[in-house]
Amino acid sequence: MSDADERERRAWTYLAGVAEPPSAAVIALVDAIGPVDAADAIASRSVPRGHSAVLGATEPRYATDTVDADLATCDRLGVRLLTPADDDWPAWPLSALDRATTAARGGRPLALWVRGPAPLGALGDAAVALVGSRAATSYGEYVAGRFASGLAAQGRAVVSGGAYGIDGAAHRGSLAAGGLTVAVLACGIDRAYPSGHARLLEEIGVRGLVISEYPPGTTAAKHRFLTRNRLVAALSGATIVVEAGRRSGATNTAAWATRLGRPLGAVPGSITSATSVGTHAMIADGQATLVADVDAVASLVAPDGEDPRGPAPMRSTDGLPRDQFRVIEAIPAHDGVSIDEIAFSAGLRSDAVRRALAGLDVAGLVDEDRGLWRLRR
Amino acid sequence: MSDADERERRAWTYLAGVAEPPSAAVIALVDAIGPVDAADAIASRSVPRGHSAVLGATEPRYATDTVDADLATCDRLGVRLLTPADDDWPAWPLSALDRATTAARGGRPLALWVRGPAPLGALGDAAVALVGSRAATSYGEYVAGRFASGLAAQGRAVVSGGAYGIDGAAHRGSLAAGGLTVAVLACGIDRAYPSGHARLLEEIGVRGLVISEYPPGTTAAKHRFLTRNRLVAALSGATIVVEAGRRSGATNTAAWATRLGRPLGAVPGSITSATSVGTHAMIADGQATLVADVDAVASLVAPDGEDPRGPAPMRSTDGLPRDQFRVIEAIPAHDGVSIDEIAFSAGLRSDAVRRALAGLDVAGLVDEDRGLWRLRR
C-alpha cells in the first residue's frame, strides 16, 4: 500500500469514528475537501467556512485517536472499511438516503465496516430484506426460513439485522441453502450482538457479509437500531416484514422502505396472533403488499417479470452447485487467495475446493495466477 | 284474504316455480302485465308480442300445476312467498342485480320464499355476509363465530349459505349472541341441505330468516349454488370471506360482491393453510380488503364512521336483554300473534315471554290488541 493510500485509509478510519454516524456535517466536509484534509481539519479544529457544524458534531471524540486500535481490530477480524472511494461502494442503493425527504432522518453512511467475502456492490436490486419481531412465533421463524432459502435458490441475497427471532431465522435459512446473507449491525462490527448469535454472526462473516457503520467497540443502543434499519431497507431491493407486533422495530424498517420508494411486502398470519397485528395493519392500510410465497416476493422485487438483478456478478453464480457457490463466495472481491485460505473460509476440504475451482474455471468465473485464485471480472 | 289477493297469491306461486330462477323472461312478463295476467298467459301459452322467450323458459314446467302443493307446504312450515308487491321486499339491495353488468349473469329474483320472524326489509346495509370454505379449519370456524357474534352485538344481521364449515359457524355465532342471521338456500325452502344442518336451519327459521328463490321440493345443484351466491352478496352491505381455498365457492360470492359494488373483505391466515390461499390472493390482488377484527368489518360496511343502518327496525332492538330480543324476533312483521305462538317460536316458556313482552311494551316496541301482540311501527 502506497503512503498516499495508507494516509487515506487512516483518514477514513478516523472520520468513520469521529462523530456518531451518520453525520451529515462530516460527510459534507469530506465531499468538499476530501478525506485526508477533512481529517486534518477536524483534528486541528480549523474547518473551512460554512462547515462549522462539524466542530460540534465531532467535539466529544475528535481528540481521541482510535485509528491504530480500529485498524488492528479490522486486521484481526478480516474487516475492511468500505468507502465511497471503493469500486465496491453501493452508491446507487444508498443514494436514495440523500433525498430531501429522507436525509433529515438519516442520510447515507460515511463509510461501512464490512466483514465477509462477497462484494457489496453485487447486492443490487436482487437483495431482499427479511425482517420482523424478535419475539417471533414458530410460524414466523418457519416462514422466514422458508422465504430465505427460496430467495437463496433464486440467487437473491437476504438482508436482515442479526437479531433473535425473524432476523436469525432469515439468515439461517439463507445460509442453509448456500445463499448470500447480509447482517447489518447496530453496534461495532467486532461485537457479537445479541451474544446468543455470536456463532451465527461469525458464520455470516465467513460466508456472507456483516456490515456496520459504527466503529469497532460501539455498543448497541436504541437509537442505533433505528439508524441501522435505514441501511437494511436501503441495501435491499424490497423489504418483507414476516411478523410484527403493533409496536415492532420492524415497522420502522418498513417505514424506511416506504420512504425510500422500495416495495414493501408483509406476510399474513392468524388474526389471533399478536405478532401479526403489525403486518395485517400494513396490508390493510395499503402500505404493504400481502406476500404469501417466495414467488410473490420475487414479483415484488421484479414486477412485470423484469429481472432487476441485471448482469451483476451475483447473476453468474445462480444455479451453481453448492460447493462451487461456497467457494466463489469465499474469494474476496479484489484479492487473490490460496486454496487453503478458500478451504478455511468456505468450510470445505482442500480437495473439494480444488474440484469446485476446476468447475468454476471452466465456467469462466475464476482465474488462477501463481497459486492465487481470484474472481474473473 | 280477498279473492283478488288470493288470485294474486296463487299467480305468484305459479310464476315462482314455472321456470328455473332467476328467469329474466318471466320477470319481464310480470313487469309488463302483472302477475295474474302473466300466469294466465304462460299457462295458456299465449303471451304478448315481444315476450316469446318466456315460452321456451317455461316449456318444461308450465303444465305442471304445483300451486296447491306449494301453498300447503308453505302453510305447514310457516313460509311466506315474498314478492315485489310486498312492503317488505328488499327492492333497493336487489336492484343492483338488474344493472347491465350483472343482470346477464343473474338478475333480481322474481320472488323469495321466506321463513322466519324478521322483516327482510330490515336487513339494509347493516347485514354482513360471512362466507367461506365448507372444508374449513378450526381457525376459520373460530374466526367466523367470533365475527358473527361481534356483528350481532353491533346489531348487524349475518347472512350466509347454511353450508358446513364457515357458513355454519357464522350462523351459530350470530344465534349464540342473540343476533339475526339469514340463511340463503340453493334448494327449496322445505329441504334441509346439508342434512347435517337440519336442526340449525330449523332454528334459523324460528329465530332468524331462511330464504330461497327456489320452489318447495327443488333439490340442491351446482348451478343453484352459484345462482344463490349472488343473493348472499346482494342482500348484504358487505361480504367477508373468512377462509377460501384456491377454487372455493366463496370466491364466486366474492366476485358477486365486487360486481355489485359492495365492499369485500377477506380474513388472512397462515400462509401454510390451503384454506387461506383464496383469501390471500383476493387481498394481494387488491380485490378484497384485509379484515383482522370485527371493527375492520364494521368500517368496511360504514366507512368514515357513518352508520348505514339508519333508523331501521333492527336499530331499536340493539342491546335488548336476550329474552326480549328472542321475543321480538318471534313476532312476525305484519301479523299479531298470541303468547303461546311466541313461546313456541322463541323457544321460551310462557311466563318468560310475558315478562319480556312487558319490558318491550314499556320500551314502546310492541302493542297488544285482544290477546294478540304485534310490532309497533
Side-chain angles (χ1 to χ4, degrees):
Chain A
M1 193 178 278
S2 72
D3 282 359
D5 285 350
E6 177 62 16
R7 205 160 55 237
E8 195 152 309
R9 186 182 180 220
R10 293 186 65 88
W12 279 116
T13 306
Y14 175 75
L15 293 164
V18 76
E20 176 75 13
S23 169
V26 173
I27 290 174
L29 185 62
V30 173
D31 284 351
I33 62 176
V36 174
D37 289 348
D40 285 345
I42 290 169
S44 63
R45 314 313 280 160
S46 58
V47 297
R49 261 174 102 85
H51 286 278
S52 59
V54 84
L55 294 175
T58 58
E59 182 61 37
R61 298 188 194 162
Y62 80 93
T64 312
D65 188 344
T66 62
V67 170
D68 287 327
D70 288 351
L71 289 174
T73 302
C74 288
D75 286 347
R76 179 168 51 83
L77 298 175
V79 168
R80 59 193 186 275
L81 181 63
L82 197 68
T83 75
D86 291 296
D87 293 344
D88 201 15
W89 181 253
W92 175 247
L94 295 177
S95 66
L97 292 169
D98 276 338
R99 274 186 234 126
T101 47
T102 54
R105 311 182 74 158
R108 70 175 143 95
L110 175 79
L112 291 170
W113 310 84
V114 179
R115 184 179 190 188
L120 199 57
L123 292 183
D125 289 344
V128 173
L130 292 180
V131 298
S133 291
R134 277 166 297 170
T137 66
S138 57
Y139 167 71
E141 295 198 358
Y142 167 78
V143 170
R146 193 168 81 167
F147 277 22
S149 58
L151 290 166
Q154 294 177 1
R156 297 183 197 278
V158 170
V159 182
S160 197
Y164 291 133
I166 298 302
D167 289 19
H171 292 307
R172 283 194 193 92
S174 174
L175 288 170
L180 170 64
T181 191
V182 183
V184 187
L185 303 186
C187 58
I189 200 161
D190 58 328
R191 299 241 156 184
Y193 186 93
S195 57
H197 275 180
R199 285 190 57 158
L200 175 62
L201 292 170
E202 188 68 26
E203 190 177 358
I204 298 171
V206 171
R207 293 173 53 197
L209 287 168
V210 180
I211 296 177
S212 173
E213 66 180 315
Y214 296 104
T218 307
T219 53
K222 186 167 170 60
H223 70 277
R224 293 190 181 119
F225 287 104
L226 298 175
T227 305
R228 180 274 312 270
N229 291 343
R230 87 191 194 291
L231 292 182
V232 171
L235 290 171
S236 306
T239 292
I240 309 296
V241 183
V242 178
E243 277 193 322
R246 197 175 289 281
R247 304 164 133 265
S248 168
T251 59
N252 175 256
T253 312
W256 269 109
T258 303
R259 244 177 245 140
L260 297 172
R262 305 284 164 79
L264 176 68
V267 177
S270 165
I271 63 168
T272 63
S273 170
T275 49
S276 289
V277 170
T279 54
H280 290 161
M282 290 173 203
I283 297 166
D285 294 350
Q287 188 198 354
T289 302
L290 182 150
V291 290
D293 54 36
V294 171
D295 289 343
V297 176
S299 49
L300 207 60
V301 185
D304 310 317
E306 147 217 7
D307 189 338
R309 290 173 295 177
M314 289 201 55
R315 188 61 199 261
S316 56
T317 64
D318 281 0
L320 284 184
R322 188 184 159 86
D323 279 4
Q324 290 188 19
F325 188 83
R326 285 170 69 168
V327 163
I328 204 162
E329 292 294 340
I331 302 175
H334 299 290
D335 277 327
V337 281
S338 69
I339 287 178
D340 283 351
E341 286 172 292
I342 294 170
F344 179 80
S345 293
L348 291 169
R349 288 165 40 150
S350 301
D351 51 350
V353 171
R354 254 183 222 103
R355 273 196 303 276
L357 284 169
L360 292 167
D361 198 7
V362 169
L365 294 170
V366 296
D367 268 332
E368 189 257 357
D369 183 26
R370 281 165 292 178
L372 293 182
W373 293 82
R374 59 184 72 232
L375 300 176
R376 193 180 286 176
R377 289 272 147 187
Chain B
M1 196 178 276
S2 72
D3 281 0
D5 285 349
E6 178 62 16
R7 204 161 56 235
E8 196 152 310
R9 185 185 181 219
R10 293 186 65 88
W12 280 116
T13 306
Y14 174 77
L15 293 164
V18 76
E20 177 74 16
S23 168
V26 174
I27 290 174
L29 184 62
V30 173
D31 284 351
I33 62 176
V36 174
D37 289 348
D40 285 347
I42 290 168
S44 64
R45 311 315 277 160
S46 57
V47 298
R49 263 173 101 85
H51 286 276
S52 59
V54 84
L55 293 175
T58 58
E59 181 62 35
R61 297 189 195 161
Y62 81 92
T64 313
D65 189 345
T66 62
V67 171
D68 288 327
D70 289 350
L71 289 174
T73 302
C74 290
D75 287 347
R76 179 167 52 84
L77 298 175
V79 168
R80 58 194 187 276
L81 181 63
L82 198 67
T83 74
D86 291 295
D87 292 344
D88 201 16
W89 181 254
W92 176 247
L94 294 177
S95 65
L97 292 168
D98 276 338
R99 273 186 235 127
T101 49
T102 54
R105 310 182 74 159
R108 70 175 143 94
L110 175 78
L112 292 169
W113 310 83
V114 180
R115 185 179 187 186
L120 199 57
L123 292 182
D125 288 346
V128 173
L130 292 180
V131 299
S133 291
R134 279 167 297 171
T137 66
S138 57
Y139 166 71
E141 295 198 0
Y142 167 78
V143 170
R146 195 168 79 165
F147 277 23
S149 58
L151 290 166
Q154 294 177 2
R156 295 182 198 280
V158 170
V159 182
S160 197
Y164 291 133
I166 298 301
D167 290 18
H171 291 307
R172 283 194 194 92
S174 175
L175 287 170
L180 171 64
T181 192
V182 183
V184 187
L185 303 185
C187 58
I189 200 160
D190 58 327
R191 299 241 157 184
Y193 186 91
S195 58
H197 275 180
R199 284 189 57 157
L200 174 62
L201 292 170
E202 189 68 26
E203 190 177 358
I204 298 171
V206 170
R207 293 174 50 197
L209 287 169
V210 180
I211 296 177
S212 173
E213 65 180 315
Y214 297 104
T218 307
T219 54
K222 187 168 168 58
H223 70 278
R224 293 191 181 119
F225 288 106
L226 299 176
T227 306
R228 179 272 315 270
N229 291 342
R230 85 190 195 292
L231 291 183
V232 171
L235 291 171
S236 306
T239 292
I240 309 296
V241 184
V242 178
E243 278 193 322
R246 197 176 290 281
R247 305 165 132 263
S248 169
T251 60
N252 175 256
T253 312
W256 269 110
T258 302
R259 244 177 245 141
L260 297 173
R262 305 283 164 80
L264 176 68
V267 177
S270 164
I271 63 168
T272 62
S273 170
T275 48
S276 289
V277 169
T279 56
H280 290 160
M282 290 173 204
I283 297 167
D285 295 350
Q287 189 198 355
T289 302
L290 183 149
V291 289
D293 53 34
V294 172
D295 288 344
V297 175
S299 49
L300 208 59
V301 186
D304 311 316
E306 145 217 7
D307 190 339
R309 291 173 293 176
M314 288 199 56
R315 189 62 200 257
S316 58
T317 63
D318 282 359
L320 284 184
R322 189 183 160 86
D323 279 4
Q324 289 188 17
F325 189 83
R326 286 171 71 170
V327 163
I328 205 164
E329 293 294 340
I331 302 175
H334 298 291
D335 275 328
V337 280
S338 68
I339 287 179
D340 283 349
E341 287 172 291
I342 296 172
F344 179 80
S345 292
L348 291 169
R349 287 165 42 148
S350 300
D351 52 346
V353 172
R354 255 183 221 103
R355 273 196 303 276
L357 283 170
L360 291 167
D361 197 7
V362 169
L365 295 170
V366 295
D367 268 333
E368 189 257 357
D369 184 23
R370 281 165 292 178
L372 294 181
W373 293 82
R374 59 185 70 230
L375 299 176
R376 194 178 289 177
R377 289 273 148 183

